[in-house]
Amino acid sequence: MGIPQISVVCGSCTAGGAYIPTMSDEAVIVKGNGSLFLAGPPLVKAATGETITTEELGGADIHCGVSGCTDHYVESEEEGFQVTRRIVSSLNLSRRRRREREEAVEPPLYSTSEESFASLLPPSLSHGQWPALEIIARVVDGSRFHPFKEKYGPTLHAGFARINGRLVGILASDGELTANAATKGTHFVRLCTFRDIPIVFFQNTPSDLEYLAPGGNEGLTVKSRAQMMSAVACATVPKITVVVGGGFGPSSFAMGGRALQPNFLFSWPHARQAIASPDHQLQTMRQQQGLAERDIDPALLDRLEEECANHPPSNLVTDAVILPHETRQVLSQALDICTVYRQPPLSEHRLNVLRM
C-alpha cells in the first residue's frame, strides 16, 4: 500500500523478531545495544560449540558494515531518534506537495566559487579518488546530506538532500562499484522510486575491468551491478546525471549512464566517457597481441584520449558540458523542468525482477 516502515533497533531482535527491521524500508541500529540474528549466542554454542558474543554475531558493526541488513549506525538511542526524524523528513508523504520547492532555501555552507571547485579537481582522472562528499557539500542546500548505508559499500555515497528547496536522492561514486556498493545503490534507487523522489547521479567510475580476473568475486559483482542497472532502468522518477570525472566501464551504466535514459546527462569539461579508459584499452591490446609498451604507437593513445573527451558531447551522448561551479544552478533548472512530466501513480511503477 506504499506505507513506509522504519525500524529502530534498540535491543535484541531474535528469530522472528529479526525479520521486522530487515524487511523495513530503513533500519537504524544502536551500537552495543541493538542486535539481529535468527539464533543468539546460546543456541550457536549448543548447536556448534562455538563461543561468540552478541556484537560479533549480529551487532551494529556487522549489520551496517558487512551484511547490510541495517542502514544507519548510531552510538546512542538519542542519536537514533534524531536519525529517524531525518528519515521521516525524506519520506515525501504528502502527494499534494510532492516535488514542491521549500520556500526558505539555504545556500551551501561551502564556497561555490570557480576557485573552490577547482581546488577539488585532481591533476588527472587516474590520480586517486575524488572528494565526492565535498562536491555534494558545494551543491546541496545548507551543505546538509543525510547518508544512507554509510558503512556499507563505501565506494558509493547515497543519501537525501535538497537542491534549491527540492528534495532529491543523491548517488555519488567514489571508486569501483563493488557488489556491496551496487546492492546499496539498488536499495536506494527503489526507495526513491517508491517515494517519488528525483535521483541525481554524480558519476566518476573507473575502468574497472580487473574484476573479470580469474579467481575473483566476479559472479557476485556482475549480479549486483545488473540488479542496480535494472532498478535504475525501471525507476519512474526523474534521473539527472553529472559526469564529474571518468565515465568508464560497467559501473557507468548503473550510475545513470546514457543507455539507461536519464532525463538529463551533463558533464564537466575534463570528464571522459567510454566503455574502457585509454590506458585499459592499450593494456588489453598488449595482452592480446603480446606487444611490449614500446611497440604501441603514442599517437594511438592521443587519439583515444581525444575521442573519450570529444565523442560524447559531439554525438549528443551528453546534453551539455557545464562548468563545475555552475552545477547547482544547472541541476536546479533541470529539476524544475522535470516537474512538468506526469509521473505514474505508485500502482503503475514498473517493478524490476531481482534474481536472488
Side-chain angles (χ1 to χ4, degrees):
M1 296 176 65
I3 300 174
Q5 299 176 65
I6 304 167
S7 293
V8 185
V9 183
C10 302
S12 180
C13 297
T14 309
Y19 286 98
I20 296 174
T22 53
M23 295 181 69
S24 297
D25 294 59
E26 295 189 55
V28 182
I29 187 169
V30 181
K31 176 186 177 183
N33 291 341
S35 60
L36 296 170
F37 29 61
L38 295 181
L43 190 53
V44 171
K45 177 69 173 178
T48 68
E50 179 183 358
T51 299
I52 190 169
T53 67
T54 298
E55 280 294 303
E56 292 171 333
L57 183 62
D61 287 294
I62 289 294
H63 287 307
C64 285
V66 179
S67 74
C69 286
T70 53
D71 312 308
H72 302 279
Y73 181 101
V74 296
E75 299 281 348
S76 65
E77 288 190 10
E78 289 77 8
E79 183 185 354
F81 300 147
Q82 293 173 2
V83 171
T84 304
R85 292 188 183 97
R86 293 204 300 264
I87 294 173
V88 172
S89 71
S90 66
L91 293 180
N92 209 25
L93 286 174
S94 174
R95 291 179 180 273
R96 182 175 58 84
R97 289 179 51 82
R98 283 188 174 181
R99 295 206 200 96
E100 289 187 6
R101 177 184 292 137
E102 282 188 346
E103 293 184 4
V105 176
E106 187 177 354
L109 300 180
Y110 287 76
S111 171
T112 58
S113 67
E114 184 175 357
E115 294 76 13
S116 178
F117 274 92
S119 67
L120 302 178
L121 306 182
S124 67
L125 295 181
S126 59
H127 190 273
Q129 299 302 319
W130 291 39
L133 291 177
E134 292 196 37
I135 294 174
I136 294 172
R138 286 163 171 76
V139 172
V140 303
D141 296 359
S143 299
R144 287 190 299 271
F145 177 67
H146 304 311
F148 174 79
K149 284 187 180 294
E150 190 172 11
K151 292 180 174 292
Y152 186 74
T155 56
L156 179 67
H157 297 288
F160 295 100
R162 288 188 178 271
I163 296 178
N164 202 18
R166 295 195 186 279
L167 179 64
V168 297
I170 294 177
L171 284 170
S173 49
D174 194 16
E176 179 186 354
L177 190 64
T178 63
N180 286 357
T183 299
K184 171 166 72 174
T186 301
H187 186 170
F188 187 75
V189 168
R190 289 173 69 94
L191 281 181
C192 292
T193 301
F194 287 130
R195 296 176 186 176
D196 199 20
I197 298 174
I199 305 172
V200 174
F201 297 89
F202 288 106
Q203 183 183 130
N204 177 36
T205 56
S207 187
D208 49 359
L209 302 183
E210 291 89 346
Y211 80 94
L212 293 174
N217 197 24
E218 64 273 11
L220 181 59
T221 302
V222 170
K223 183 173 73 170
S224 299
R225 288 176 177 174
Q227 289 178 344
M228 183 174 173
M229 291 180 202
S230 180
V232 173
C234 294
T236 54
V237 296
K239 294 168 285 190
I240 304 172
T241 302
V242 183
V243 184
V244 300
F248 301 120
S251 304
S252 65
F253 295 106
M255 287 298 296
R258 173 53 68 195
L260 298 189
Q261 298 181 326
N263 296 61
F264 292 97
L265 192 151
F266 305 112
S267 67
W268 287 0
H270 54 275
R272 302 290 185 267
Q273 299 177 65
I275 292 297
S277 68
D279 289 340
H280 266 103
Q281 293 183 55
L282 295 182
Q283 178 183 337
T284 302
M285 289 176 58
R286 288 196 296 268
Q287 291 175 346
Q288 291 180 346
Q289 301 178 21
L291 300 176
E293 186 170 354
R294 63 178 179 274
D295 297 327
I296 301 296
D297 185 358
L300 179 59
L301 179 60
D302 294 338
R303 177 183 173 186
L304 292 173
E305 290 279 3
E306 182 179 352
E307 289 186 356
C308 287
N310 297 331
H311 183 274
S314 63
N315 287 271
L316 303 183
V317 174
T318 301
D319 294 315
V321 177
I322 64 174
L323 296 176
H325 63 280
E326 296 176 349
T327 303
R328 173 178 166 85
Q329 176 187 354
V330 171
L331 286 176
S332 177
Q333 294 173 342
L335 288 166
D336 287 344
I337 294 170
C338 288
T339 60
V340 306
Y341 289 96
R342 172 190 172 274
Q343 296 299 316
L346 187 65
S347 60
E348 294 182 20
H349 282 160
R350 301 165 294 175
L351 297 180
N352 50 308
V353 174
L354 295 181
R355 293 188 177 274
M356 303 305 292

